[in-house]
Amino acid sequence: MAEISNSLSFKQLRWIDEYMLDLNGAAAAVRAGYSAKSARSIAHENLTKPDIQAVLQARQAEMASDLKLSRQGVIQGLVEAVNMGREQQNPGAMIAALREVAKMLGFYAPEVKRIELTTDQRSMHNDMTDLTDAELLALIKRHSAPV
C-alpha cells in the first residue's frame, strides 16, 4: 500500500483520512481543503480512482481487523438486533436491522438475466440495430395501424 500512497497527492491522502471519518465524500473534500463548490465532483472523482479505492479498501480491512469484525459477525449482530426488536415489539428496529442485512447480502442488487438468441433472432436483432430512429418509428406505425 505504501507504493500506492506515494502516487497520491497530499490532498488526496487527506481526503481519504477525512472520508474514513463519516464516509461523506463531499464533506471530506471540504475538510481536506478542496473548494466547497467542487466538493461533490471531487468526491465522485476520488471514489472512482483505483489508487484511492485501494487505499480505502486496505484501511477498511485494517479497521475491521483491529475491531475483530467480520462480515458474518456484523450480520449475526444485526440478526440479534432483529430478534431483540421482535421481543420488545419494536417493528421499526426490526425493519432497520433487516434492511441492513438485506443490503449486506445483496438482496437489493438488480437481477441479471441472460438471454440467448437463436441465429434468426440474432440476425433480426442486428437488422433492427442498424435502423435509424425514423426507420424504427415508421416500422412501429406500420405494425400498429389497424388492419
Side-chain angles (χ1 to χ4, degrees), residues 42-78:
I42 291 293
H44 175 74
E45 183 181 322
N46 282 348
L47 285 169
T48 61
K49 291 184 176 179
D51 288 354
I52 290 177
Q53 278 296 317
V55 173
L56 286 172
Q57 289 171 357
R59 289 200 184 169
Q60 288 169 337
E62 183 180 337
M63 188 182 297
S65 176
D66 289 349
L67 296 172
K68 296 181 179 22
L69 285 175
S70 67
R71 182 179 178 86
Q72 185 175 357
V74 170
I75 292 172
Q76 184 58 44
L78 288 167

Side-chain angles (χ1 to χ4, degrees), residues 10-16 18 26-34:
F10 173 78
K11 260 189 177 177
Q12 288 172 323
L13 291 170
R14 176 79 194 280
W15 179 86
I16 291 169
E18 295 296 335
V30 172
R31 293 191 305 261
Y34 291 99

